[in-house]
């Protein structure tokens, strides 16, 4: 058995299958592209789903890659077991209608026993109980003894709902009795660590139908997955994944920063493993454009960061430190995952910022928890509810073990069972969502098998003569479309651009001798043809018709201006804000453009103005827009930026406009001056760490500018001035308004002082208690509290209850001086009963409380209620 590093295993795997005709692909991003059903890429096959379900046809039917994956099903298990991780790498080789079981099995055996030099006598496999074909290959072609071939059922059949599915064969490596459970029945599939699953070969040969039946697929596929970390643990002869070279340097650095050496304490080791795992996950996720937030993927990253911070606190680290571990991840992985190296400064900055915020959150969470504990004590109880503990955990990110620890210090227990029930319910909801989401579509429709070529000429021509080579309705082939029909058309040559890279598809018309159709949208077919979605508005279109295809020139003209402008905007944002800016999505329509990008906060007015100025400056410089094809490596050497989520082949299309150089398959202006003008219409946040700019160009920019000028003119008219002096006039009006507000506040203060004199003079005694109670008119809550504060300053021993109806709202404030608090009077309880008379509620502290109501007509009755409350309290004291 060879001793190999993780990097050597990864590269050996790719090289082995490349030598057998496989196209080597870099890892897809962790964020799924065009797949809203997945939160993360969680398996090697996940980004290849379009090839499995027939939506796309790969350029080469054999593919190999090392795919980065995230799974967060069992976050709580990380660090406690040998194998649970949130981030992992899946080595995979795939065949789409090419080779099948014979090659998949024999190549797996060859790689394991000849390249990695694993002991063949330690390898066992499982197969489906009815898969005699796989048994034949393993036993007779590979030579594996029948005693080490185990037949199974559910664990050896892969399916997720309707769609492609099939039997699978799992490969296990015997790590020896030292890793076993001691049972004489221990074998592959046992829960112990002796028989370690290292590879799963899935033979996708059936389609599961809606009625639950299975039918053979016309094209059989191979989908395999081998966990890199598991292979590394075997080849490096370590007991768990965390002691491989993929984790150990991170653990050692965390141990150094915390002063807790790895291997000295089992409890400390758990926290060091959590830190190492979560830092890897967060590093790669941020590198792929995901920033911490309170929803979706961003929430997952925030949760992992907070768990790692908490583990650091358990090790005595009270300052931000996780960001320092990003450099270690870079050293381990950066050679094979350049996005980590390129974005390391951004990743470090994001992690440090999030650490600092969470340390503040912990302080706030402790304060909230302490208040909750006091409420539990005030009720005479000794248990904090599971619901309250879960709310702290789920909403505020406050760890349950910290809740238990702090509560115990106050003599309060936590309902852990109730907490676990809440947590289990959340997990059940998440599992149900995943099961629904991860189903794959069935291979169906004539478009999947339609291979007639269609040549796109729309970069240079907007109208061409063409022949209809394919007509479809709902994906099925038809001979013709009649007036009123909607369907899909494929031409042998087309000027219509298919939606891609944020640019929407063209519009226009197709006209033949016998009919005419509007082109409503354009998408790409599985084999890459541009498919026009049309509505026939006159006559009919038939298979084989000669037609004239014409793109709406105004529609396209506006689109290309906006598309080139997004490139200029991207460059300007990076120049103004920094190179951490990365595109996170875009939309290019005729009327506007939308550009999403990574950044930490809102842009200032000055930054927005500078970005807009730079884009317009590039427009007015009249740069020629150069578009050419070249090798990917050559394009990268030029400094070309890739678009978010796109996958590129060896030959790429490079668009250069001034200093902006991007890989792009879209349509663009020939010179930047054609854009005319660029105006930013809005800048907003769409998620934590992600901003969105919307803008307009050309005639739409002129329209927006005119609308802004018209609004400014109307403002000038309202201020009785003209546009040229509207700013000065507005400033004078605001100054006059501020002076009036000061005079109003002064008048209010004088009135309040007079009211205080009146209220103090009207003090009464109820059940021996000095009371000031009054229903006032048109005072808001601030006004009521101001009156109470002045009364407190004048009267040492008193109970005050004031109410007011203001703008349709009923509001109350109650105050009880300290001497009457000690005799059983409580401001919060008083105001709650008073407000109830008006159909409201509230409460607060024993000394000061406030409440609201709904029925203003009952305000006098509510104030009279104060006397009843005091008499009742006095009666209770007498007894």
């Amino acid at each position: 058995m060879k001793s190999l590093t993780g990097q050597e295993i990864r590269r050996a795997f790719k090289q082995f299958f490349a030598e057998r005709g496989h196209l080597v692909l870099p890892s897809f991003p962790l964020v799924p592209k065009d797949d809203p059903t997945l939160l993360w890429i969680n398996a090697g096959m996940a980004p290849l789903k379009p090839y499995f379900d027939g939506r796309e046809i790969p350029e080469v039917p054999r593919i190999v890659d090392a795919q980065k994956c995230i799974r967060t099903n069992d976050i709580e298990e990380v660090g406690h077991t040998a194998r649970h991780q949130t981030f992992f790498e899946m080595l995979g080789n795939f065949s789409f209608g090419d080779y099948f079981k014979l090659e998949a099995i024999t190549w797996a055996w060859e790689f394991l026993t000849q390249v990695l030099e694993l002991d063949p006598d330690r390898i066992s496999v499982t197969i489906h109980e009815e898969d005699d074909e796989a048994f034949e290959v393993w036993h007779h072609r590979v030579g594996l003894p029948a005693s080490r071939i185990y037949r199974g059922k559910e664990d050896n059949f892969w399916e997720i709902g309707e769609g492609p599915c099939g039997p699978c064969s799992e490969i296990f490596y015997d790590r020896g009795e030292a890793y076993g459970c001691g049972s004489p029945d221990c074998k592959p599939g046992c829960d112990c660590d002796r028989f370690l699953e290292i590879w799963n070969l899935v033979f996708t040969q059936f389609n599961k139908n809606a009625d639950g039946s299975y039918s053979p697929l016309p094209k059989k596929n191979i989908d395999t997955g081998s966990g890199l970390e598991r292979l590394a643990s075997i080849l490096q002869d370590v007991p768990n994944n965390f002691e491989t070279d993929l984790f150990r340097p991170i653990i050692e650095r965390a141990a150094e920063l915390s002063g807790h050496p790895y291997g000295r304490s089992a409890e400390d080791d758990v926290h060091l493993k959590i830190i190492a795992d979560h830092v890897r996950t967060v590093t790669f996720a941020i590198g792929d454009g995901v920033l911490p937030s309170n929803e979706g993927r961003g929430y997952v990253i925030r949760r992992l960061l907070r768990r790692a911070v908490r583990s650091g606190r358990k090790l005595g680290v009270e300052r931000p430190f996780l960001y320092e571990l990003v450099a270690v991840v870079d050293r381990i992985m950066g050679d094979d995952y350049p996005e980590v190296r390129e974005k390391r400064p951004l990743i470090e900055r994001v992690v440090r910022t999030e650490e600092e915020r969470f340390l503040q959150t912990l302080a706030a969470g402790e304060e909230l928890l302490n208040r909750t504990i006091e409420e539990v004590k005030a009720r005479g109880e000794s248990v904090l509810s599971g619901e309250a503990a879960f709310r702290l955990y789920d909403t505020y990110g406050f760890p349950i073990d910290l809740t238990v620890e702090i509560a115990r210090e106050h003599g309060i227990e936590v309902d852990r069972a109730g907490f676990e029930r809440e947590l289990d319910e959340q997990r059940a909801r998440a599992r149900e969502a995943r099961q629904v989401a991860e189903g794959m579509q069935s291979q169906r429709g004539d478009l999947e098998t339609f291979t007639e070529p269609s040549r796109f000429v729309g970069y240079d021509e907007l109208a061409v003569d063409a022949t209809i080579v394919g007509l479809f309705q709902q994906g099925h082939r038809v001979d013709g479309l009649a007036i009123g029909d909607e369907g899909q058309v494929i031409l042998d040559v087309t000027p219509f651009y298919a939606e891609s890279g944020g640019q929407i598809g063209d519009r226009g018309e197709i006209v033949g001798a016998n009919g005419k159709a509007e082109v409503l949208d354009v998408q790409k077919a599985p084999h890459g043809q541009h498919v026009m979605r049309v509505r026939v508005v006159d006559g009919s279109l038939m298979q084989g018709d000669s037609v004239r295809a014409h793109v709406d020139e105004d529609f396209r003209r506006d689109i290309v201006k906006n598309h080139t402008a997004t490139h200029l905007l991207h460059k300007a944002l990076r120049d103004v804000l920094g190179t951490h800016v990365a595109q996170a999505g875009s939309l290019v329509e005729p009327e506007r453009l939308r550009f999403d990008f990574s950044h930490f906060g809102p842009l200032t007015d000055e930054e927005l103005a500078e970005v807009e100025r730079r884009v317009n400056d590039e427009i007015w410089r009249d740069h020629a827009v150069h578009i050419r094809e070249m090798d990917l490596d050559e394009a990268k050497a030029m400094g070309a930026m890739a678009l978010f989520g796109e996958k590129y082949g060896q030959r790429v299309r490079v668009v250069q406009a001034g200093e902006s150089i991007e890989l792009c398959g879209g349509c663009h202006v020939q010179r930047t001056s054609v854009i005319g003008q660029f105006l930013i219409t809005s800048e907003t946040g769409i998620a934590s760490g992600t901003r969105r700019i919307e803008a307009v160009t050309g005639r739409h920019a002129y329209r927006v500018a005119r609308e802004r000028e018209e609004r400014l003119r109307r403002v000038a008219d309202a201020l009785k001035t003209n546009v040229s002096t509207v700013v000065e006039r507005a400033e004078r009006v605001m100054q006059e308004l501020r002076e009036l507000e000061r005079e109003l506040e002064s008048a209010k203060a004088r009135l309040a002082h007079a009211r205080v004199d009146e209220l103090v003079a009207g003090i009464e005694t109820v059940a021996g208690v000095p009371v000031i109670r009054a229903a006032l008119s048109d005072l808001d809550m601030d006004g009521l509290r101001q009156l109470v504060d002045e009364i407190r300053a004048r009267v040492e021993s008193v109970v005050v209850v004031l109410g007011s109806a203001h703008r349709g709202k009923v509001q109350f404030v109650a105050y009880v001086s300290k001497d009457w608090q000690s005799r059983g009077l409580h401001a919060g309880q008083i105001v709650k009963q008073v407000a109830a008379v008006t159909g409201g509620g509230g409460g607060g502290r024993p000394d000061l409380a406030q409440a609201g109501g709904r029925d203003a007509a009952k305000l006098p009755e509510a104030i009279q209620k104060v006397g009843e409350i005091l008499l009742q309290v006095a009666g209770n004291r007498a007894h």
Side-chain angles (χ1 to χ4, degrees):
M1 181 172 67
K2 288 185 177 179
S3 178
L4 299 176
T5 65
Q7 183 184 78
E8 289 170 339
I9 299 169
R10 187 189 302 120
R11 293 182 176 182
F13 186 87
K14 292 180 181 179
Q15 181 180 346
F16 177 85
F17 285 100
E19 292 169 353
R20 286 151 184 80
H22 290 65
L23 173 66
V24 179
L25 290 182
S27 175
F28 289 79
L30 285 163
V31 178
K33 180 194 174 189
D34 298 331
D35 188 352
T37 69
L38 287 180
L39 191 65
W40 302 102
I41 293 299
N42 58 9
M45 58 74 59
L48 303 174
K49 281 168 63 174
Y51 298 155
F52 281 101
D53 62 30
R55 282 175 285 153
E56 296 179 21
I57 307 300
E59 57 179 294
V60 176
R62 299 181 179 187
I63 288 175
V64 62
D65 68 4
Q67 176 62 46
K68 50 193 177 186
C69 303
I70 289 180
R71 289 184 191 171
T72 55
N73 307 35
D74 302 302
I75 291 178
E76 289 78 9
E77 297 298 321
V78 173
H80 296 277
T81 69
R83 314 291 167 206
H84 277 102
Q85 303 157 214
T86 56
F87 173 86
F88 60 95
E89 293 179 76
M90 189 62 72
L91 308 176
N93 58 290
F94 307 90
S95 168
F96 304 98
D98 189 14
Y99 63 82
F100 201 48
K101 293 182 185 178
L102 175 62
E103 294 86 350
I105 292 173
T106 55
W107 284 340
W109 181 260
E110 183 180 349
F111 179 74
L112 293 174
T113 60
Q114 296 183 29
V115 177
L116 301 186
E117 299 180 2
L118 295 183
D119 184 352
D121 294 334
R122 290 191 169 201
I123 295 177
S124 303
V125 302
T126 61
I127 62 173
H128 190 264
E129 61 182 6
E130 298 177 4
D131 195 351
D132 294 332
E133 182 183 358
F135 180 87
E136 177 71 19
V137 177
W138 277 120
H139 186 49
H140 295 290
R141 297 298 294 266
V142 170
L144 195 65
S147 60
R148 298 212 305 274
I149 303 175
Y150 298 85
R151 291 181 183 264
K153 189 174 183 181
E154 292 183 2
D155 290 342
N156 288 100
F157 196 89
W158 184 91
E159 64 180 357
I160 307 179
E162 294 179 45
C165 57
C168 63
S169 180
E170 299 168 320
I171 305 175
F172 295 82
Y173 187 77
D174 184 357
R175 304 214 68 185
E177 292 183 0
Y179 290 89
C181 58
S183 169
D185 296 326
C186 186
K187 62 182 180 180
C190 182
D191 290 335
C192 71
D193 285 334
R194 175 173 178 175
F195 293 95
L196 184 62
E197 182 189 342
I198 56 175
W199 209 336
N200 189 14
L201 314 178
V202 179
F203 313 123
T204 310
Q205 62 188 93
F206 300 111
N207 189 75
K208 185 175 184 180
N209 304 308
D211 62 2
S213 63
Y214 297 89
S215 54
L217 286 175
K219 293 181 180 178
K220 297 179 173 63
N221 303 322
I222 289 294
D223 161 25
T224 85
S226 176
L228 174 62
E229 294 84 0
R230 294 190 174 204
L231 285 177
S233 70
I234 293 172
L235 294 168
Q236 295 170 26
D237 194 24
V238 292
N240 59 65
N241 295 356
F242 293 95
E243 298 193 21
T244 68
D245 69 321
L246 297 166
F247 283 94
R248 190 62 183 259
I250 310 172
I251 289 176
E252 295 293 351
R253 178 60 176 150
E256 179 184 346
L257 291 170
S258 68
H260 289 254
Y262 181 72
R264 187 178 66 182
S265 159
E267 182 180 351
D268 289 351
D269 289 354
V270 167
H271 293 299
L272 290 169
K273 291 173 183 177
I274 289 171
I275 290 168
D277 171 81
H278 291 3
V279 164
R280 287 200 339 152
T281 307
V282 166
T283 295
F284 276 89
I286 296 173
D288 278 348
V290 179
L291 297 176
S293 69
N294 287 328
E295 58 185 20
R297 301 180 186 96
Y299 176 72
V300 174
I301 298 310
R302 174 161 286 166
R303 184 181 176 195
L304 293 176
L305 273 168
R306 290 180 169 188
R307 290 191 84 244
V309 168
R310 175 60 183 149
S311 284
R313 280 169 61 99
K314 283 288 190 178
L315 297 173
V317 184
E318 299 287 342
R319 63 171 184 84
F321 76 104
L322 298 174
Y323 74 96
E324 297 183 46
L325 302 177
V326 175
V328 187
V329 179
D330 176 18
R331 283 201 302 272
I332 299 169
M333 315 285 277
D335 288 344
D336 285 4
Y337 294 100
E339 64 272 19
V340 171
R341 186 151 296 162
E342 292 168 5
K343 297 185 179 180
R344 177 177 148 190
L346 168 68
I347 298 168
E348 290 174 333
R349 182 179 170 191
V350 171
V351 171
R352 179 165 188 168
T353 299
E354 191 66 15
E355 286 187 87
E356 291 169 346
R357 287 175 178 170
F358 183 51
L359 289 171
Q360 295 171 357
T361 297
L362 279 177
E366 288 175 354
E367 181 180 346
L368 178 62
L369 175 58
N370 286 330
R371 288 206 303 269
T372 306
I373 290 171
E374 289 303 317
E375 292 172 3
V376 171
K377 287 182 175 180
R379 293 194 298 266
E381 299 172 359
S382 60
V383 178
L384 182 71
S385 72
E387 182 182 357
F390 182 76
R391 186 169 61 250
L392 278 164
Y393 168 79
D394 190 51
T395 305
Y396 301 98
F398 204 74
I400 181 61
D401 56 343
L402 187 57
T403 297
V404 171
E405 180 181 323
I406 294 174
R408 190 167 292 149
E409 292 171 357
H410 290 265
I412 299 294
E413 294 299 316
V414 175
D415 178 10
R416 287 299 295 263
F419 173 84
E420 294 297 335
R421 281 196 301 272
E422 296 282 344
L423 190 60
D424 287 342
E425 288 177 11
Q426 184 192 61
R427 287 172 177 163
R429 290 191 296 269
R431 281 195 300 271
E432 182 179 349
R434 281 195 300 272
Q435 289 168 358
V436 171
E438 293 180 0
M440 291 175 59
Q441 299 173 353
S442 172
Q443 297 179 2
R444 60 166 63 97
D446 296 327
L447 268 173
E448 183 215 339
T449 58
F450 187 80
T451 59
E452 189 79 19
S454 175
R455 184 166 54 94
F456 173 66
V457 296
Y459 290 136
D460 305 309
E461 300 180 67
L462 297 184
V464 298
D465 294 320
T467 301
I468 296 177
V469 295
L471 285 172
F472 305 84
Q473 279 191 306
Q474 297 180 341
H476 297 288
R477 194 81 180 264
V478 295
D479 293 326
L481 297 172
I483 187 169
D485 285 348
E486 285 196 14
Q488 297 157 299
V489 176
I490 295 180
L491 306 174
D492 63 338
V493 57
T494 181
F496 293 101
Y497 180 83
E499 181 175 341
S500 180
Q503 178 180 328
I504 67 171
D506 279 328
R507 307 292 184 270
E509 61 182 22
I510 297 173
V511 182
N514 301 312
K516 181 171 72 172
E518 293 178 333
V519 175
L520 308 174
D521 188 23
V522 189
Q523 300 290 331
K524 286 186 179 179
H527 287 272
Q529 306 98 325
H530 290 206
V531 182
M532 282 67 72
R533 182 170 65 86
V534 304
R535 179 190 299 115
V536 179
V537 295
D538 185 32
S540 63
L541 296 182
M542 303 297 291
Q543 175 76 24
D545 278 358
S546 295
V547 295
R548 181 72 172 171
H550 190 284
V551 174
D552 183 327
E553 293 187 24
D554 289 340
F555 189 89
R556 171 73 81 82
R557 189 180 296 116
D558 287 341
I559 281 180
V560 297
K561 291 175 183 178
N562 284 337
H563 200 155
T564 306
T566 63
H567 287 216
L568 301 180
L569 173 60
H570 192 183
K571 180 65 169 59
L573 286 167
R574 289 172 65 87
D575 288 344
V576 173
L577 304 179
T579 56
H580 67 275
V581 168
Q583 180 174 338
S586 68
L587 176 66
V588 179
E589 296 180 322
E591 296 84 8
R592 64 177 180 133
L593 64 92
R594 188 180 75 205
F595 191 81
D596 301 338
F597 59 98
S598 56
H599 190 57
F600 298 103
L603 275 67
T604 64
D605 291 341
E606 292 76 16
E607 288 170 335
L608 276 174
E610 179 62 13
V611 168
E612 188 176 87
R613 185 196 68 77
R614 284 174 178 259
V615 174
N616 280 304
D617 191 50
E618 291 299 291
I619 291 171
W620 300 329
R621 286 177 184 271
D622 191 29
H623 295 296
V625 178
H626 300 289
I627 301 176
R628 52 191 182 275
E629 287 192 0
M630 61 181 69
D631 287 340
L632 180 60
D633 291 341
E634 183 183 354
K636 288 181 177 178
M638 289 178 61
M641 287 188 291
L643 294 182
F644 173 79
E646 290 293 321
K647 204 70 181 174
Y648 300 98
Q650 189 52 41
R651 294 290 292 177
V652 294
R653 189 168 180 264
V654 178
V655 177
Q656 182 173 5
E659 295 183 359
S660 168
I661 308 173
E662 294 195 14
L663 307 183
C664 181
C667 304
H668 293 272
V669 299
Q670 293 182 330
R671 303 192 69 86
T672 58
S673 60
V674 174
I675 300 171
Q677 185 180 5
F678 172 87
L679 276 180
I680 294 174
T681 56
S682 69
E683 189 273 335
T684 57
I686 58 172
S688 178
T690 305
R691 309 297 300 176
R692 169 173 290 171
I693 281 180
E694 297 199 22
V696 289
T697 66
R699 61 187 174 129
H700 298 288
Y702 173 77
R703 172 182 54 79
V704 170
R706 288 293 301 163
E707 290 172 354
R708 289 178 176 178
E709 185 175 355
E710 175 61 21
R711 286 195 295 271
L712 185 60
R713 186 192 62 75
R714 291 168 63 186
V715 170
D717 289 345
L719 293 173
K720 302 186 184 315
T721 186
N722 55 54
V723 170
S724 62
T725 59
V726 69
V727 174
E728 293 82 0
R729 176 59 178 157
E731 289 174 345
R732 285 199 302 273
V733 169
M734 291 303 298
Q735 179 62 31
E736 292 168 2
L737 182 60
R738 284 191 291 269
E739 290 174 0
L740 288 172
E741 287 176 345
R742 282 196 293 270
E743 292 177 9
L744 179 60
E745 289 301 317
S746 177
K748 282 183 176 180
R750 290 194 298 273
L751 179 60
H753 187 75
R755 280 181 168 175
V756 170
D757 290 341
E758 181 182 344
L759 291 169
V760 170
I763 195 168
E764 57 184 310
T765 301
V766 178
V769 181
V771 180
I772 296 175
R773 51 178 171 167
L776 306 171
S777 60
D778 203 31
L779 275 180
D780 60 12
M781 185 61 74
D782 287 341
L784 290 175
R785 293 185 69 125
Q786 184 178 349
L787 287 177
V788 169
D789 287 343
E790 292 202 27
I791 293 172
R792 292 170 62 182
R794 293 198 197 182
V795 184
E796 183 176 348
S797 175
V798 70
V799 171
V800 181
V801 180
L802 304 179
S804 176
H806 177 69
R807 294 181 181 176
K809 294 182 179 180
V810 181
Q811 296 170 321
F812 298 93
V813 173
Y815 166 73
V816 176
S817 58
K818 184 175 292 186
D819 55 334
W820 289 106
Q821 292 174 45
S822 64
R823 300 184 204 181
L825 294 179
H826 189 291
Q829 295 172 1
I830 292 172
V831 82
K832 181 178 180 180
Q833 295 180 63
V834 169
V837 176
T838 64
R845 304 193 309 263
D847 62 329
L848 187 65
Q850 64 188 48
R854 289 192 291 270
D855 189 350
K858 293 187 175 181
L859 180 58
E861 181 184 343
I863 293 300
Q864 288 302 313
K865 179 75 173 178
V866 175
E868 296 178 23
I869 297 169
L870 296 180
L871 288 169
Q872 182 180 3
V873 173
N876 291 337
R877 283 204 307 269
H879 288 90

